[in-house]
Amino acid sequence: MNIRDFEYLVALAEHKHFRKAAEACFVSQPTLSGQIRKLEDELGTSLLERSSRRVLFTDSGLQLVSQAKRILAEVKTFTEMASLQGKDMSGPLHIGFIPTIGPYLLPLIIQPLKKAFPDLELFLHEAQTNQLVRQLEEGRLDCIILASVAETEPFIELDMFNEPLMMAVPENHPWADKTELDMVELKGHTVLSLGDGHCLRDQALGFCFAAGASDDDRFKATSLETLRNMVAAGGGVTLLPQLSVPKEKVKDGVSYLKAVNPTPSRKVVLAYRPGSPLRKRFEQLATFISKTVNISQ
């Protein structure tokens, strides 16, 4: 057996589907299936129940999946330690971003990062918070950039910036000409929001609920751009992170206002595993990003 066999096993446990697991490992389905069967022969035990149309692991298989995850995490740490034999800011770095940060932060930092650290090889991954946390725990990501939430408490967090949330309303809305909106004015109104799984949903709604607003349960967006388009179509009002807001006050049917009393915001952090030997690299990266991103409070 080898490390690649463990990767196949963990991928199959995560995706519970041979084709999807094979795609995640960049191999053909017959290759992955054959290696799993070869691993079973070598271990002398069945890892899967093959009578079912679904991928079901035996008790022995589940135990070995857990051990395989630990082994892969140790291999990841070993690789990180080896990479430190060179410069702090050189070599591969796998970074995860949540969808409400990645599309707006990356255009601001990618070129400056490449210029400042030409020897750093960046691999960028986008997923929701719970997926990123799991991938970080399993060693498949080196660090993640997201809004600080309870799920990141087991990790070390490096604060980068506080990002205000701005009110977005249709351009013909009674509030559209305002430059600021007191949050108390939301009382009795409904707001559009993202669907479950987005940490921004809970963060934004927390401020809205405190102001006396309610969630519009007739619609749940899958992205900030869907929210923006719904506002432009006159479907309601919402809060959007400042990085996603254009410089113009009114653009494409949406008017943007600064929300005040209080100003809703989220803390954007870089999180990494406590035992990672790449601490200095993460600290340099977090400092660079916080200096590069211009956030006006």
Side-chain angles (χ1 to χ4, degrees):
M1 70 184 73
N2 55 50
I3 297 300
R4 197 64 173 145
D5 293 334
F6 298 147
E7 293 175 345
Y8 294 156
L9 189 64
V10 170
L12 189 57
E14 178 179 347
H15 294 280
K16 294 181 173 58
H17 192 283
F18 275 96
R19 179 181 58 79
K20 293 179 180 179
E23 290 175 352
C25 294
F26 303 102
V27 297
S28 67
Q29 182 173 330
T31 296
L32 184 139
S33 181
Q35 284 301 114
I36 294 294
R37 190 175 291 278
K38 181 179 177 182
L39 182 61
E40 288 179 314
D41 292 341
E42 189 172 347
L43 295 172
T45 186
S46 296
L47 304 178
L48 305 172
E49 295 181 16
R50 286 184 167 79
S51 60
S52 173
R53 296 180 64 181
R54 296 180 300 166
V55 174
L56 294 176
F57 278 80
T58 62
D59 288 341
S60 297
L62 290 174
Q63 292 179 27
L64 291 173
V65 166
S66 297
Q67 185 62 31
K69 289 180 180 179
R70 287 192 287 270
I71 292 172
L72 291 175
E74 289 297 324
V75 170
K76 179 68 173 175
T77 300
F78 181 88
T79 304
E80 290 173 350
M81 293 178 68
S83 72
L84 290 179
Q85 299 307 308
K87 300 177 183 178
D88 281 342
M89 300 301 283
S90 66
L93 190 66
H94 291 261
I95 311 175
F97 297 83
I98 57 175
T100 59
I101 289 180
Y104 313 103
L105 177 64
L106 289 175
L108 302 177
I109 65 172
I110 288 300
Q111 289 305 319
L113 275 173
K114 288 182 177 179
K115 184 177 180 180
F117 310 113
D119 297 327
L120 194 62
E121 187 179 8
L122 297 176
F123 295 87
L124 309 174
H125 310 261
E126 184 180 89
Q128 290 187 0
T129 298
N130 60 338
Q131 296 170 298
L132 293 181
V133 167
R134 185 174 68 250
Q135 292 173 19
L136 184 60
E137 288 175 339
E138 295 173 356
R140 288 184 288 157
L141 293 176
D142 297 308
C143 63
I144 55 179
I145 292 177
L146 73 174
S148 181
V149 290
E151 291 91 330
T152 59
E153 289 180 359
F155 306 116
I156 294 177
E157 290 185 356
L158 301 176
D159 295 352
M160 294 194 295
F161 53 87
N162 284 313
E163 182 181 19
L165 306 180
M166 297 185 66
M167 184 62 60
V169 304
E171 63 179 351
N172 58 357
H173 193 278
W175 297 339
D177 293 333
K178 292 177 175 284
T179 56
E180 292 186 351
L181 182 76
D182 196 307
M183 287 294 288
V184 73
E185 294 193 51
L186 281 177
K187 186 175 182 180
H189 289 78
T190 59
V191 293
L192 300 172
S193 65
L194 292 167
D196 293 334
H198 292 275
C199 57
L200 180 60
R201 167 183 168 80
D202 296 333
Q203 293 161 342
L205 286 179
F207 288 102
C208 294
F209 291 162
S214 59
D215 180 21
D216 188 339
D217 58 10
R218 298 169 299 175
F219 174 79
K220 296 291 181 291
T222 58
S223 71
L224 292 185
E225 297 313 308
T226 304
L227 270 183
R228 195 193 314 272
N229 290 334
M230 282 294 292
V231 172
V237 303
T238 193
L239 286 173
L240 293 177
Q242 183 176 301
L243 286 179
S244 72
V245 172
K247 294 180 180 179
E248 300 88 345
K249 172 173 171 48
V250 180
K251 185 177 181 181
D252 298 330
V254 179
S255 178
Y256 300 95
L257 303 74
K258 183 177 181 181
V260 296
N261 297 325
T263 296
S265 65
R266 61 178 179 176
K267 182 169 68 173
V268 178
V269 301
L270 183 152
Y272 66 94
R273 293 181 301 279
S276 175
L278 301 180
R279 176 179 59 84
K280 291 184 178 179
R281 185 177 299 184
F282 300 141
E283 291 174 349
Q284 288 191 59
L285 180 62
T287 298
F288 183 88
I289 291 175
S290 63
K291 290 180 177 179
T292 302
V293 176
N294 183 25
I295 292 290
S296 60
Q297 300 295 331

